[in-house]
């Protein structure tokens, strides 16, 4: 098979972790007889510097022509003074919207080897955790009407939360489909006791569930969900929720799993095309120091192999390689324990590649 990719390293540590993912993918292709083809394009702060815009037309065009996109991270302190609609972070939002990627799959996996890295007690996590967060990605408050107005209390700003029936139905269906291959349980998170958008969300999820009679469905308010994630995370398997709630809860679940540096994600739409990126940000404070954890980026590449190319054996090989180096005591700076010397970004990538 030919793996035709668009690589968007982005800013900060993005290029460093991307390099390790490409190295591992090359190992996979050598072992399993595939061909890796890719073009590298700009987005975020790097694109603003070179092209004057956070997402050049050629980057979007290349993404549309490829089978999948690997994305590093965007954002840099130096652009924090730009107006909101010109900042580097808009690159990923526009890519998701333009490419029709409405479902964000973000597994929160606590590897048993990293049980002590979780801030939550082992008695609560059980030493392992595997939650799949399914976040709606192209609707809600991030894409609703925005503006400012005068009020008796002075100038005010507003962001509108809006969801259509179809937007909710398709993300709910995605969650049920994923649950069918796991523990057959979906938890839908909303704020239906207060928000009209959440009341519609709940009613559409209930209606969609009728098409999946073998799947257990429960509903929970977002504030309670945040509490239960740290009180009893093992209660959850697949969580489906809105764009903003999912943004917050997936980060919380990520920290329970020990480090954002371990967490991959996939953004999918209709069909097999997807955009794959680590859950961590650009971390400009450690950029260029060869100390970032590349495992989330490498595990994102594994998700790409699984979801966009249907290469289950190859995806398993990457995930097992990561587990193997962790079992062997390999740790980067973000997950290192007392008395253990961390390995560099490049060393981690090399060790994982050797295990393929």
């Amino acid at each position: 098979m030919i793996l035709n990719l668009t690589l968007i390293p982005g800013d900060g540590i993005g290029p460093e972790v991307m390099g390790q993912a490409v190295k591992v993918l090359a190992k996979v292709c050598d072992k399993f007889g595939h061909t890796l083809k890719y073009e590298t394009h700009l987005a975020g702060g790097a694109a603003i510097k070179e092209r004057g815009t956070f997402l050049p037309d050629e980057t979007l065009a290349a993404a549309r022509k490829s089978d999948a996109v690997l994305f590093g991270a965007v954002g840099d302190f130096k652009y924090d003074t730009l107006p909101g609609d010109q900042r580097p972070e808009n690159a990923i939002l526009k890519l998701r919207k333009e490419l029709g990627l409405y479902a964000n799959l973000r597994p929160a996996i606590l590897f048993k080897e990293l049980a002590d890295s979780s801030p939550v007690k082992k008695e609560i996590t059980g030493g392992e955790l595997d939650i799949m967060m399914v976040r709606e990605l192209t609707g809600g408050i991030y894409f609703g009407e925005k503006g400012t107005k005068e009020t008796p209390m002075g100038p005010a700003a507003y962001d509108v939360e809006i969801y259509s029936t179809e937007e909710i139905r398709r993300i709910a269906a995605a969650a049920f489909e994923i649950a069918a291959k796991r523990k057959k349980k979906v938890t839908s998170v909303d704020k239906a006791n207060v928000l009209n958008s959440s009341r519609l969300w709940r009613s559409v999820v209930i209606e969609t569930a009728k098409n999946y009679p073998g799947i257990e469905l429960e509903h929970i308010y977002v504030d309670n969900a945040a509490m239960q994630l740290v009180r009893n995370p093992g209660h959850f398997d697949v969580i489906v929720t809105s764009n903003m709630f999912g943004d917050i809860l997936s980060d919380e679940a990520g920290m329970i799993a020990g480090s954002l540096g371990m967490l991959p994600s996939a953004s999918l739409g209709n069909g097999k095309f997807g955009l794959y990126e680590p859950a961590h940000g650009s971390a400009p404070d450690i950029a260029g120091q060869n100390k970032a954890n590349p495992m989330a980026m490498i595990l994102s590449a594994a998700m790409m192999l699984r979801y966009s190319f249907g290469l289950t054996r190859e995806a398993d090989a990457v995930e097992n390689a990561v587990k193997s180096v962790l079992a062997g005591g390999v740790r980067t700076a973000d997950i290192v324990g007392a008395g253990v010397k961390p390995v560099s970004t490049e060393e981690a990538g090399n060790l994982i590649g050797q295990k393929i």
Side-chain angles (χ1 to χ4, degrees):
M1 180 179 289
I2 297 175
L3 278 60
N4 181 29
L5 311 180
T6 294
L7 307 184
I8 305 177
D11 307 321
I13 62 172
E16 297 172 68
V17 297
M18 179 70 76
Q20 304 313 307
V22 172
K23 183 189 301 182
V24 171
L25 282 172
K27 289 275 190 178
V28 170
C29 288
D30 286 344
K31 179 177 177 62
F32 292 93
H34 305 301
T35 300
L36 179 62
K37 295 179 63 177
Y38 59 84
E39 293 182 4
T40 302
H41 288 272
L42 297 170
I48 292 173
K49 181 180 178 180
E50 297 293 329
R51 299 283 193 274
T53 179
F54 56 76
L55 187 66
D57 291 342
E58 58 264 32
T59 300
L60 183 57
R64 286 190 168 124
K65 289 191 297 183
S66 61
D67 297 324
V69 174
L70 277 183
F71 188 94
V74 288
D76 196 304
F77 300 142
K78 69 179 74 172
Y79 300 107
D80 285 354
T81 58
L82 289 177
D85 61 354
Q86 298 176 28
R87 292 179 60 167
E89 293 82 358
N90 288 298
I92 187 62
L93 297 178
K94 186 173 181 179
L95 274 168
R96 292 166 178 166
K97 191 73 171 180
E98 292 290 333
L99 297 173
L101 306 175
Y102 59 82
N104 183 227
L105 311 187
R106 193 156 152 184
I109 300 172
L110 174 59
F111 295 96
K112 62 181 180 180
E113 295 84 3
L114 298 179
D116 292 333
S117 297
S118 174
V120 178
K121 295 178 181 178
K122 194 180 296 187
E123 306 91 87
I124 294 175
T125 64
E128 292 185 84
L129 192 65
D130 184 358
I131 299 172
M132 178 63 82
M133 305 289 298
V134 181
R135 167 190 170 194
E136 201 289 321
L137 207 54
T138 57
I141 197 167
Y142 292 172
F143 293 95
E145 181 185 353
K146 306 175 188 302
T148 59
K149 63 180 180 180
E150 291 295 326
T151 74
M153 298 292 286
Y158 60 89
D159 300 271
V160 176
E161 169 85 350
I162 182 169
Y163 269 112
S164 67
T165 298
E166 176 57 22
E167 285 175 316
I168 302 167
R169 186 208 62 76
R170 67 187 184 183
I171 194 66
F176 286 121
E177 294 285 350
I178 292 167
K181 300 174 184 177
R182 291 172 57 98
K183 297 179 181 178
K184 297 180 170 53
K185 178 182 178 181
V186 171
T187 301
S188 178
V189 176
D190 59 40
K191 193 62 175 172
N193 56 335
V194 176
L195 302 176
N196 278 336
S197 57
S198 279
R199 294 184 187 113
L200 178 64
W201 179 281
R202 183 172 292 206
S203 67
V204 173
V205 171
I206 290 171
E207 186 65 27
T208 306
K210 294 176 182 178
N211 298 321
Y212 302 89
I215 307 298
E216 176 189 354
L217 171 64
E218 68 172 0
H219 304 276
I220 186 170
Y221 296 144
V222 63
D223 42 356
N224 190 25
M227 180 177 68
Q228 296 302 327
L229 272 171
V230 294
R231 182 176 180 270
N232 184 22
H235 172 80
F236 300 103
D237 185 47
V238 175
I239 296 176
V240 62
T241 192
S242 66
N243 205 341
M244 183 172 68
F245 293 163
D247 194 358
I248 297 166
L249 292 178
S250 58
D251 276 0
E252 182 189 11
M255 285 312 300
I256 295 168
S259 170
L260 290 177
M262 293 299 304
L263 301 181
S265 76
S267 298
L268 306 175
N270 297 322
K272 293 184 177 182
F273 179 86
L275 181 150
Y276 302 85
E277 61 179 315
H280 59 69
S282 58
D285 55 321
I286 62 168
Q289 298 178 36
N290 198 25
K291 62 193 294 185
N293 186 347
M295 296 185 200
M297 185 79 253
I298 291 169
L299 290 169
S300 295
M303 291 187 78
M304 178 195 72
L305 293 170
R306 189 179 305 280
Y307 288 101
S308 283
F309 295 100
L311 299 175
T312 302
R313 287 188 309 152
E314 290 83 341
D316 288 344
V318 175
E319 291 167 357
N320 289 335
V322 172
K323 292 176 184 177
S324 179
V325 299
L326 290 173
V330 174
R331 300 288 185 271
T332 47
D334 59 316
I335 54 174
V336 72
V340 178
K341 182 181 178 181
V343 301
S344 69
T345 306
E346 187 170 1
E347 287 171 329
N350 287 340
L351 290 167
I352 293 168
Q354 291 168 15
K355 296 289 185 179
I356 297 297

